[in-house]
Amino acid sequence: MPQGTEEILRKSYLFAKLSNEELSEVAKVLREETYEPGAYVVKEGDPGESLYLVAAGGVNVTKEPDNHFLSYLGAGGYFGEMALFLPNSRRTASCVAMLKTTCLILEKSALEGFCLSRPAIGVKIYQEIIRALAERLAATSADLAMLMKSQVSKQDQVSEMAAAFRNRK
């Protein structure tokens, strides 16, 4: 287990409901990877089987084909949670290290193992991931509603201009 892993987990709300003993159990199954600036942590379209928690550094989340910037995730940020739910999951965005970045990686198989051997741990983690996904979905829905309202408003303006032009004749 990497040094300080339990403390990093304790600061993440995904693991905040775990007891010290449960955090210790989770820390034992995590893998630590370090990425140099500019390196892909995950690439859009690649198979996904794990959740990444940024322990240090930070990543830009981008969409192909033009590397459209979506967000920046610093220490404490996480990504890849959808891979824990979907069979044959593919990464829906790329994450590129912007600084020297260390991630703690929780494999889907390890989380499923907790659900079988230590269900309380698995349930607590899944509940927080589901809450986080629901919050992200709500934010995305609000953004989409605002975008659609803007589009309808533009269409209304074009229709009004066309009607005004027709009425001038």
Side-chain angles (χ1 to χ4, degrees):
M1 160 178 55
Q3 188 85 14
T5 299
E6 289 178 42
E7 189 59 34
I8 293 166
L9 292 176
R10 190 173 284 109
K11 290 178 182 177
S12 169
Y13 69 86
L14 289 180
F15 304 97
K17 291 187 177 177
L18 299 179
S19 69
N20 288 340
E21 186 259 329
E22 291 169 331
L23 282 173
S24 180
E25 290 295 312
V26 171
K28 289 177 188 174
V29 301
L30 296 176
R31 183 167 46 94
E32 182 181 277
E33 292 283 335
T34 299
Y35 305 88
E36 294 300 321
Y40 278 95
V41 179
V42 300
K43 188 163 180 152
E44 184 175 347
D46 284 351
E49 290 277 322
S50 49
L51 174 136
Y52 289 71
L53 176 65
V54 179
V59 300
N60 276 351
V61 182
T62 61
K63 286 291 284 177
E64 301 296 335
D66 59 354
N67 292 321
H68 178 75
F69 176 81
L70 298 176
S71 67
Y72 174 81
L73 300 172
Y78 64 91
F79 55 93
E81 65 279 2
M82 288 192 300
L84 301 176
F85 292 95
L86 301 172
N88 304 314
S89 179
R90 296 274 175 195
R91 298 293 178 192
T92 60
S94 294
C95 294
V96 178
M98 299 315 306
L99 310 164
K100 186 170 185 174
T101 300
T102 301
C103 292
L104 300 175
I105 304 166
L106 176 62
E107 300 290 336
K108 180 179 184 175
S109 59
L111 188 52
E112 289 172 345
F114 281 124
C115 289
L116 295 173
S117 66
R118 301 285 311 271
I121 294 174
V123 167
K124 288 176 186 177
I125 295 171
Y126 272 128
Q127 283 176 330
E128 291 308 307
I129 292 171
I130 291 167
R131 182 186 61 75
L133 285 170
E135 288 174 357
R136 288 181 180 178
L137 179 59
T140 299
S141 294
D143 289 347
L144 183 58
M146 190 178 341
L147 179 63
M148 294 305 295
K149 183 178 179 181
S150 172
Q151 288 298 95
V152 168
S153 177
K154 286 178 185 175
Q155 288 173 348
D156 289 346
Q157 289 172 358
V158 169
S159 295
E160 288 171 12
M161 287 174 23
F165 181 77
R166 280 192 306 272
N167 292 337
R168 283 188 350 170
K169 291 182 180 181

